[in-house]
């Protein structure tokens, strides 16, 4: 027996999506990085010049936006650009457009709006209902699928997370500084943990997973152990 639904939560750049993607491949499960949905709404707002402070307009956007997240390669031009999935909004490929510092800087306020959360949570639950899914986010184990078979809460120090995110941005040719990235991460931690609707926190029955001192290989080894030992711990 293996867990059919896996919920992975944690702060920005904690390693949760690297882990989630890996374990989804390992189990041959569907992978959904739910931050993508909040990012797509934020990107659309910036793109359509909808003010981030306009809660009603942003909420409508979240309800009406046609977002798709599909496994990896949609056309051969993208084969080697390092994507884990392809995101489209109204047919346009926005996989990388949602990863800019501009979206990073506006996504937390967008995700505070209860109406936005409600619209996106509904979509997530529809996807989770199919089973065999690894879902990654902030409130997956607490709100979106509280009955998930396995819940992980992934953490790492803010400095280590900033270092990882900064290196990622450099590789993709974005101009920024380590300090700016660290500031953004601290700011997002504060908003994500402090908001009233579905704040970032560990579910009571989540397994804590600290990646600060782990290499990717060590992270992968540890998560396989957790998954393979799942039903020997009385979870079935
Ligand atoms: O994981 P990420 O950095 O792509 O997430 C972007 C933002 O989306 C994050 O700052 C908070 C929000 N988010 C959320 O509120 N709930 C989720 N389940 C996933 C993301």
């Amino acid at each position: 027996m293996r867990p059919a639904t896996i919920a992975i939560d944690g702060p920005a750049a904690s390693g949760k999506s690297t882990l989630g993607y890996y374990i989804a491949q390992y189990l041959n499960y569907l992978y959904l990085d739910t931050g993508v949905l909040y990012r797509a709404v934020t990107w659309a707002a910036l793109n359509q010049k909808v003010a981030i402070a306009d809660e009603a307009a942003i909420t409508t956007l979240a309800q009406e936006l046609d977002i798709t997240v599909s496994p990896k390669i949609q056309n051969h031009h993208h084969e080697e650009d390092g994507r884990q999935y392809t995101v489209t909004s109204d047919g346009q490929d926005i996989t990388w457009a949602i990863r800019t510092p501009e979206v990073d800087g506006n996504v937390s306020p967008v995700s505070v709006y209860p109406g936005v959360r409600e619209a996106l949570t509904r979509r997530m639950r529809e996807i989770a209902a199919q089973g065999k899914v690894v879902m990654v986010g902030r409130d997956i184990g607490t709100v979106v699928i509280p009955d998930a078979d396995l819940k992980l809460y992934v953490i790492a120090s803010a400095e280590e997370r900033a270092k990882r995110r900064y290196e990622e941005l450099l590789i993709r040719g974005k101009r920024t500084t380590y300090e700016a990235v660290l500031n953004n991460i601290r700011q997002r931690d504060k908003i994500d943990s402090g908001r009233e609707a579905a704040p970032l926190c560990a579910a009571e029955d989540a397994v804590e997973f600290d990646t600060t001192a782990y290499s990717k290989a060590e992270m992968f080894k540890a998560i396989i152990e957790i998954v393979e030992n799942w039903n020997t711990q009385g979870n079935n």
Side-chain angles (χ1 to χ4, degrees):
M1 275 287 283
R2 280 166 161 180
T5 45
I6 301 180
I8 306 184
D9 293 297
S14 54
K16 61 187 188 303
S17 30
T18 303
L19 273 173
Y21 183 65
Y22 177 82
I23 202 66
Q25 302 282 99
Y26 176 84
L27 294 170
N28 201 18
Y29 281 14
L30 179 75
Y31 171 65
L32 182 68
D33 177 359
T34 61
V36 156
L37 302 178
Y38 291 96
R39 286 173 179 276
V41 172
T42 306
W43 174 85
L46 294 169
N47 194 47
Q48 297 173 26
K49 311 243 185 302
V50 174
I52 299 296
D54 188 343
E55 178 168 357
I58 301 278
T59 302
T60 304
L61 203 56
Q63 289 162 345
E64 293 178 354
L65 201 64
D66 170 29
I67 309 166
T68 71
V69 186
S70 50
K72 223 168 178 173
I73 300 153
Q74 284 214 316
N75 84 49
H76 57 276
H77 300 301
H78 293 139
E79 262 172 44
E80 297 302 336
D81 74 356
R83 67 182 56 199
Q84 295 170 329
Y85 42 73
T86 293
V87 187
T88 71
S89 164
D90 294 318
Q92 187 182 346
D93 187 337
I94 56 166
T95 311
W96 293 117
I98 61 171
R99 299 280 163 199
T100 59
E102 210 195 353
V103 171
D104 280 351
N106 288 287
V107 64
S108 278
V110 165
S111 65
V112 165
Y113 297 141
V116 171
R117 304 203 66 82
E118 196 185 305
L120 299 184
T121 297
R122 187 172 311 129
R123 294 187 195 202
M124 293 171 202
R125 287 187 181 142
E126 284 165 12
I127 295 168
Q130 305 161 18
K132 292 202 170 190
V133 66
V134 178
M135 209 170 271
V136 173
R138 299 292 189 292
D139 62 340
I140 308 305
T142 51
V143 174
V144 179
I145 35 175
D147 61 348
D149 292 331
L150 173 64
K151 301 179 186 179
L152 295 180
Y153 191 71
V154 183
I155 56 168
S157 73
E159 290 76 14
E160 176 61 24
R161 291 185 286 128
K163 184 174 150 260
R164 292 175 189 167
R165 187 50 56 86
Y166 174 62
E167 283 165 3
E168 251 174 59
L169 288 167
L170 276 193
I171 289 171
R172 299 207 337 267
K174 300 288 170 202
R175 278 165 168 265
T176 182
T177 63
Y178 168 79
E179 286 71 27
V181 175
L182 181 59
N183 268 334
N184 169 262
I185 281 190
R186 290 213 164 111
Q187 194 61 30
R188 282 213 278 157
D189 283 357
K190 225 170 105 188
I191 304 178
D192 294 349
S193 308
R195 71 174 175 233
E196 209 149 299
L200 168 66
C201 69
E204 244 171 61
D205 50 350
V207 179
E208 188 172 283
F209 194 116
D210 187 340
T211 69
T212 308
Y214 275 15
S215 67
K216 278 190 187 173
E218 288 166 333
M219 278 168 40
F220 295 159
K221 193 162 167 269
I223 197 168
I224 287 179
E225 244 160 63
I226 292 172
V227 165
E228 295 295 2
N229 291 322
W230 173 73
N231 72 342
T232 62
Q233 289 158 5
N235 289 315
N236 47 359

